[in-house]
Amino acid sequence: MTPTITAFESSPDRGRGLARDMRVRWALEEVGRPYEVRLVSFGQMKEAAHRAVHPFGQIPTYEEGDLALFETGAIVFHIAERHAGLLPDDANARARAIAWMFAAVNTVEPPILERGGAVLMERDKPWHEARLPMLDARVDARLGDLSRRLGDADWLDGAFSAADVMMVTVLRRLDGSGLLERYPNLLAYIARGEARPAYRRAFADQLAVFTDRQSAD
């Protein structure tokens, strides 16, 4: 059965590939799994039908037969478990890849999201100018740790895996912030992810939603 994912009908990222359905699209493209997309409006995300799948009224969701999932980490992990190519066969390497998936969303992403929210929602507040350096420092601490661990390696732990799908998409949220420029190896790491054919297909599909909406308007 072909899985169906949900995505923004009108994404606030304006086709930049930052919405979280990008992670799921990329994973599905990496394993060669066809999928369908159901576009939802902000209003529809808060309605009972969507909340039955995603209790917090967000995107993406993943539905396949009787299975309904939410949270991108869980969805990408499900895809990686059931299709070859995104998790190593070796048990220890597999466990490390899963640990890196958790690290991407639990350790690296939170300060990035906090900073992004402040820049978007608080820039006109009197405390914003004083608070931003603190938020930048929190992000920079995570980037420094990650940069040192990655070193000259192509990927987080040996071969490309679902961990890299998660981490690259998390780091891309810093595009335009200026915070990544101190870490050439992280910039190169992101570029390697973006150069993968599966990523490019996923990005094109997400961008097409924005382009089609613009044409319709």
Side-chain angles (χ1 to χ4, degrees):
M1 181 173 292
T2 302
T4 299
I5 68 171
T6 50
F8 286 124
E9 180 184 78
S10 182
S11 177
D13 78 349
R14 301 179 64 84
R16 293 167 59 205
L18 302 181
R20 286 185 175 88
D21 62 287
M22 180 65 192
R23 304 169 185 181
V24 178
R25 292 175 185 267
W26 186 5
L28 288 165
E29 292 288 351
E30 287 285 352
V31 301
R33 185 77 163 95
Y35 62 98
E36 296 178 355
V37 181
R38 183 171 69 252
L39 301 178
V40 293
S41 67
F42 287 101
Q44 290 170 328
M45 288 194 302
K46 306 306 178 184
E47 292 174 356
H50 186 74
R51 284 186 182 273
V53 182
H54 198 310
F56 303 106
Q58 299 176 324
I59 61 99
T61 59
Y62 176 99
E63 296 174 79
E64 185 177 11
D66 295 333
L67 176 66
L69 294 174
F70 63 100
E71 291 296 329
T72 55
I75 296 169
V76 172
F77 180 55
H78 169 78
I79 295 166
E81 273 201 312
R82 283 155 179 76
H83 303 279
L86 283 178
L87 285 176
D89 293 330
D90 175 77
N92 288 347
R94 187 184 189 90
R96 290 193 301 270
I98 294 167
W100 275 113
M101 292 180 69
F102 276 88
V105 294
N106 289 348
T107 302
V108 179
E109 188 169 41
I112 293 175
L113 291 178
E114 185 179 14
R115 181 193 182 277
V119 169
L120 182 64
M121 306 298 293
E122 300 176 5
R123 66 180 65 187
D124 60 338
K125 305 299 183 183
W127 64 79
H128 178 70
E129 194 168 322
R131 184 169 182 249
L132 189 58
M134 177 189 69
L135 298 176
D136 285 350
R138 289 176 181 171
V139 173
D140 188 66
R142 296 305 187 202
L143 295 180
D145 291 339
L146 182 62
S147 174
R148 284 186 289 274
R149 181 57 183 263
L150 180 66
D152 295 328
D154 285 345
W155 307 112
L156 289 173
D157 194 287
F160 176 85
S161 74
D164 300 296
V165 170
M166 299 303 294
M167 190 67 79
V168 167
T169 51
V170 164
L171 293 176
R172 289 192 73 252
R173 301 185 77 87
L174 290 170
D175 182 39
S177 70
L179 295 176
L180 284 164
E181 278 63 25
R182 289 184 55 197
Y183 304 101
N185 66 332
L186 295 185
L187 287 172
Y189 170 64
I190 295 168
R192 279 191 293 275
E194 293 174 334
R196 292 182 69 85
Y199 175 92
R200 294 166 69 177
R201 291 192 298 271
F203 184 91
D205 286 344
Q206 195 183 67
L207 178 61
V209 175
F210 173 73
T211 303
D212 290 346
R213 292 290 298 177
Q214 289 291 98
S215 299
D217 293 342

